[in-house]
């Protein structure tokens, strides 16, 4: 199944490869607005809706339409906000561990001096058998991040996300080369185009690339990020919005895991029926439902209408 068939007739793009005509038309229309940011997010929404529509019209789950290579996708629990007390942090992360989720992620970077102690609280809460990830959202300087990588390693932190700005590809590369060997460097959530991901991979800036289908020109862009990762033998991790990503993550061989982001899980359950189920630390799409499988709970959503 050609991925390009989802968005109507296929045309030749400027790089000589076939791409969906509707996708190219949308990208051309925003040439003078600039592609990164809100324009790419709007295209992402339309792209995801069209994939969903195509699968519904064919009466198949989107994971099957895209070419499923796995039944379910491992997730990591994600939250651990810097606004939490130590008790809230411990309760949230240990709660995910009790649900069978095998890795959890917390935020760092708001108060660097407190971060090693907060990370120690998290490790104490989840025990030694659950992987611990940290996400600095680019808050540290290079030297600060290097020093803290050493301190976090003492608590066996396995993933250091955006230790420095994701625009500082040389800085990410520095961290990747010099952080403890067990600690992976991850970034990519602000990628709005395949070119962004290619630059990040070619700079050897990350051990694991992240991509977000609500930003990177939709599920079409996410599939392209997957192809780039496969070519570079680098794993891909989906950023946020798990109900949107699960079908594509079942179909992209390079995917390692998905982010089970606290707020998005809550909102997806609040507003949609038919979302993926958490089974043994993995999300599993419901293959009895066509498309993304989601139905808006209209009465519940109505109260938020403007
Ligand atoms: Mg992040």
């Amino acid at each position: 199944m050609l991925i390009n068939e989802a968005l109507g007739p296929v045309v030749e793009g400027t790089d000589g490869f076939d791409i969906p005509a509707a996708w190219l038309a949308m990208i051309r229309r925003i040439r003078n607005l600039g592609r990164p940011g809100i324009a790419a997010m709007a295209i992402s929404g339309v792209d995801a809706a069209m994939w969903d529509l195509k699968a519904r019209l064919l009466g198949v789950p989107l994971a099957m339409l895209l070419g499923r290579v796995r039944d379910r996708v491992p997730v990591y629990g994600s939250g651990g906000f810097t606004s939490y007390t130590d008790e809230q942090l411990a309760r949230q992360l240990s709660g995910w561990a009790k649900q069978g989720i095998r890795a959890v992620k917390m935020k760092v970077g708001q108060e660097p001096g407190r971060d090693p102690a907060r990370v120690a609280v998290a490790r104490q809460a989840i025990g030694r058998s659950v992987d611990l990830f940290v996400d600095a959202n680019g808050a540290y300087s290079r030297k600060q991040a290097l020093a803290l990588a050493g301190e976090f390693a003492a608590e066996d932190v396995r993933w250091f996300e955006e230790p420095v700005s994701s625009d500082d590809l040389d800085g990410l590369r520095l961290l990747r080369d010099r952080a403890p060997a067990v600690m992976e460097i991850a970034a990519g959530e602000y990628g709005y185009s395949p070119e962004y991901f290619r630059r990040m991979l070619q700079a050897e800036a990350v051990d694991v690339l992240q991509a977000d289908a609500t930003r990177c020109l939709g599920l079409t862009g996410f599939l392209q990020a997957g192809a780039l990762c496969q070519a570079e033998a680098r794993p891909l991790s989906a950023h946020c919005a798990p109900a949107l990503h699960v079908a594509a993550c079942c179909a992209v061989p390079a995917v390692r895991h998905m982010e089970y982001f606290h707020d998005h899980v809550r909102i997806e359950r609040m507003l949609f029926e038919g979302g993926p189920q958490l089974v043994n630390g993995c999300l599993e799409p419901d293959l009895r439902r066509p498309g993304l499988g989601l139905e808006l709970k209209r009465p519940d959503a109505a109260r938020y209408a403007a």
Side-chain angles (χ1 to χ4, degrees):
M1 165 76 223
L2 286 173
I3 62 167
N4 294 339
E5 288 172 13
L7 295 178
V10 169
V11 298
E12 191 172 298
T14 49
D15 55 6
F17 292 105
D18 289 347
I19 56 171
W23 202 67
L24 182 63
M26 288 191 287
I27 289 169
R28 283 187 172 153
R29 287 294 287 271
I30 51 104
R31 187 183 64 196
N32 290 333
L33 296 174
R35 198 196 298 179
I38 199 156
M41 290 185 203
I43 291 175
S44 298
V46 174
D47 176 90
M50 290 177 80
W51 275 109
D52 183 41
L53 177 62
K54 174 164 184 171
R56 284 171 190 255
L57 290 172
L58 292 172
V60 295
L62 185 56
M64 302 291 276
L65 176 65
L66 294 174
R68 195 167 53 121
V69 296
R70 58 179 71 84
D71 297 334
R72 58 192 71 87
V73 187
V75 298
Y76 65 85
S78 174
F81 302 127
T82 55
S83 55
Y84 287 176
T85 64
D86 287 354
E87 291 71 29
Q88 288 172 311
L89 176 69
R91 197 179 323 125
Q92 184 184 58
L93 301 190
S94 62
W96 282 319
K98 283 180 196 139
Q99 288 177 58
I101 293 176
R102 290 182 283 276
V104 296
K105 188 171 86 181
M106 60 184 287
K107 297 288 188 188
V108 292
Q110 189 71 24
E111 292 180 73
R114 284 193 61 230
D115 285 336
R118 290 179 62 250
V119 167
V121 165
R123 173 55 75 196
Q124 175 79 24
I126 61 174
R128 309 305 299 185
S129 61
V130 174
D131 284 346
L132 181 57
F133 298 174
V134 297
D135 180 2
N137 285 108
Y140 300 136
S141 69
R142 293 182 183 185
K143 291 289 190 187
Q144 209 175 17
L146 264 180
L148 285 164
E151 295 205 49
F152 296 156
E155 298 294 346
D156 199 20
V157 168
R158 295 296 176 95
W159 162 290
F160 197 173
E161 181 172 325
E162 291 187 335
V164 296
S165 166
S166 49
D167 292 325
D168 181 8
L169 296 180
D170 290 340
L172 288 173
R173 172 73 192 266
L174 177 84
L175 267 292
R176 189 177 175 218
D177 286 344
R178 294 188 48 188
V182 295
M183 187 180 288
E184 291 180 312
I185 303 301
E189 67 180 76
Y190 302 116
Y192 289 103
S193 67
E195 295 80 7
Y196 178 101
F197 298 130
R198 189 175 60 202
R199 275 195 297 276
M200 191 166 261
L201 290 167
Q202 287 181 342
E204 299 283 346
V206 290
D207 294 296
V208 182
L209 184 75
Q210 296 174 278
D212 186 326
T214 71
R215 294 175 181 164
C216 68
L217 305 173
L219 295 171
T220 302
F222 188 84
L223 296 172
Q224 291 179 342
L228 287 165
C229 282
Q230 190 164 4
E232 293 284 337
R234 217 78 52 84
L236 176 66
S237 180
H239 175 259
C240 290
L244 176 70
H245 284 98
V246 67
C249 286
C250 283
V252 171
V255 163
R256 179 193 286 177
H257 49 41
M258 304 172 53
E259 182 169 13
Y260 192 71
F261 185 60
H262 166 71
D263 276 340
H264 291 186
V265 170
R266 184 173 61 82
I267 291 166
E268 286 173 355
R269 286 196 184 140
M270 200 165 79
L271 294 177
F272 295 101
E273 302 273 7
Q277 294 300 308
L278 186 65
V279 182
N280 295 329
C282 296
L283 276 184
E284 204 171 273
D286 185 345
L287 297 182
R288 295 165 303 181
R289 302 175 72 97
L292 286 165
L294 302 174
E295 287 299 330
L296 184 64
K297 296 179 184 173
R298 292 185 184 277
D300 295 309
R303 84 181 81 147
Y304 302 105

